[in-house]
Every structure is written in structure tokens, then in C-alpha cells.
């Protein structure tokens, strides 16, 4: 599960305590110096509530203090009643009240925690490659392929019509009994 300590760590660096609801008093440990908080199982701190986004917020120990960043969540994040702007790190002091979606929490300090040394040894996980990054080389656009097929079909149809249609004027001409030939012959005679 995402809330278990990583190998080599002795305990949490801080905690988020639920201050309302059916899980009142439960503490969610902060096990790394950079964690994501959200509803998704891939989050480091999982809060299973419909008002919490899959990747809702990020907690980070940096420059000697904790910061919280709303990750563009649907229902927002607030510290001490002040709603945070998305993607802007905000200082998070110990004992502060935090609202993640509709869930109220209190950020708590943990005894014997050493976030400074944890941050020094922290290596950020590698971001998974997006589908666009995985693609390489030339890709022929599908819309262009469809356009070429339609254009070739139209040209083929026109060629078929041209070759199979009866030719007008072939075999029909001005013969010996034609009235225009008779007029032309009379006018030419002296």
C-alpha cells in the first residue's frame, strides 16, 4: 500500500490527522520528503473520499520547511481556511488546519523525525514517459491517408466513366446521303 514506510526509513517525517468524519483521529503518515496526496492508489498518501482528486496536492520538505501545492484539483486545497492557488507552493506550518477537497486534516509534527536528512537522500522518482514521448520517427497522418484513398477512388471512377462511355461523333459523320453534303455539293458546282 502507498502509506507504508519505504525500505531503510525508520518512521514518518510528519503526519496528516483526520479531524472530522468517520475516520476522525486517524493519522496518515508522511513517509518521504516529497509526497502526493490524493484519492488514487498511486498517491503516496491516499485519502479515499469522492471530494478528493486522484492527484490532489503535493507536500514537500524544502529549504528547512514544509510546503503544500494544490495540483489543480477540482475541489481545491485550503490552509487555515485560505484557498490555495493551483500549482503555487505555500508554506505549511505544523498544527495547521488543511482542507483537501471536503476532508479536514491537521498537519502534525512527529517525534524523532529528521526531514532534512531524508531530503538530502531523496531521489525523485522517474516520471513515466507519456504516449507522445514514446512515439518516435515519422508518422503518416491518418486524415491524409483517408484523403488520398478518396482522391484515388474519384480519379479511378472518372477514368472508368471516360473509357466505358460511348463516344459521341465516332462513326457518325456526314455521309453521301446527308443533306448538308448535298447542299455543300450544289454550292460548289459551277
Amino acid at each position: 500500500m502507498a502509506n507504508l514506510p519505504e525500505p531503510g526509513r525508520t518512521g514518518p517525517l510528519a503526519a496528516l490527522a483526520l479531524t472530522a468524519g468517520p475516520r476522525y483521529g486517524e493519522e496518515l503518515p508522511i513517509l518521504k520528503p516529497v509526497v502526493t496526496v490524493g484519492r488514487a492508489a498511486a498517491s503516496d498518501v491516499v485519502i479515499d473520499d469522492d471530494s478528493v482528486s486522484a492527484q490532489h496536492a503535493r507536500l514537500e520538505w524544502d529549504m528547512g520547511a514544509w510546503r503544500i501545492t494544490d495540483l489543480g484539483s477540482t475541489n481545491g486545497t485550503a490552509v487555515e481556511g485560505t484557498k490555495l492557488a493551483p500549482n503555487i507552493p505555500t508554506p505549511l506550518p505544523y498544527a495547521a488546519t488543511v482542507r483537501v477537497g471536503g476532508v479536514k486534516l491537521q498537519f502534525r509534527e512527529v517525534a524523532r523525525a529528521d526531514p532534512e536528512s531524508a531530503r538530502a537522500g531523496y531521489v525523485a522518482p522517474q516520471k513515466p514517459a507519456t504516449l507522445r514521448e514514446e512515439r518516435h520517427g515519422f508518422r503518416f497522418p491518418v486524415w491524409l491517408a483517408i484523403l488520398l484513398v478518396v482522391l484515388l477512388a474519384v480519379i479511378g471512377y472518372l477514368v472508368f466513366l471516360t473509357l466505358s462511355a460511348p463516344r459521341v461523333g465516332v462513326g457518325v459523320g456526314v455521309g453521301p446521303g446527308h443533306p448538308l453534303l448535298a447542299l455543300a455539293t450544289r454550292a460548289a458546282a459551277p
Side-chain angles (χ1 to χ4, degrees), residues 5-187:
E6 61 184 77
R9 292 269 343 126
T10 57
L13 303 174
L16 287 169
L18 294 153
T19 58
R23 294 171 52 193
Y24 174 81
E26 182 180 340
E27 284 194 354
L28 306 172
I30 309 298
L31 302 172
K32 298 184 285 186
V34 179
V35 295
T36 55
V37 177
R39 187 180 68 240
S43 296
D44 298 306
V45 178
V46 178
I47 301 175
D48 190 19
D49 188 274
D50 289 339
S51 66
V52 177
S53 296
Q55 295 289 309
H56 198 100
R58 181 177 57 245
L59 284 171
E60 177 177 16
W61 175 267
D62 195 25
M63 298 188 302
W66 286 98
R67 297 184 302 172
I68 187 168
T69 305
D70 182 86
L71 298 176
S73 62
T74 303
N75 294 320
T77 304
V79 175
E80 297 296 339
T82 304
K83 188 171 180 178
L84 305 182
N87 301 312
I88 297 177
T90 304
L92 182 62
Y94 291 116
T97 302
V98 179
R99 184 186 49 78
V100 178
V103 179
K104 292 183 181 178
L105 308 156
Q106 183 183 40
F107 186 62
R108 293 185 179 167
E109 187 172 13
V110 175
R112 298 184 320 253
D114 188 9
E116 200 62 52
S117 64
R119 179 63 184 198
Y122 177 74
V123 177
Q126 195 172 16
K127 275 179 57 175
T130 63
L131 187 58
R132 182 177 295 267
E133 292 168 344
E134 288 178 6
R135 295 179 184 160
H136 57 280
F138 176 73
R139 286 199 44 207
F140 197 74
V142 174
W143 66 268
L144 188 57
I146 293 171
L147 180 67
L148 287 174
V149 168
V150 170
L151 187 62
L152 287 173
V154 168
I155 290 172
Y157 180 72
L158 291 175
V159 167
F160 173 77
L161 285 180
T162 303
L163 294 177
S164 66
R167 296 182 183 203
V168 178
V170 176
V172 177
V174 182
H178 198 275
L180 288 177
L181 185 58
L183 284 175
T185 318
R186 280 190 221 149

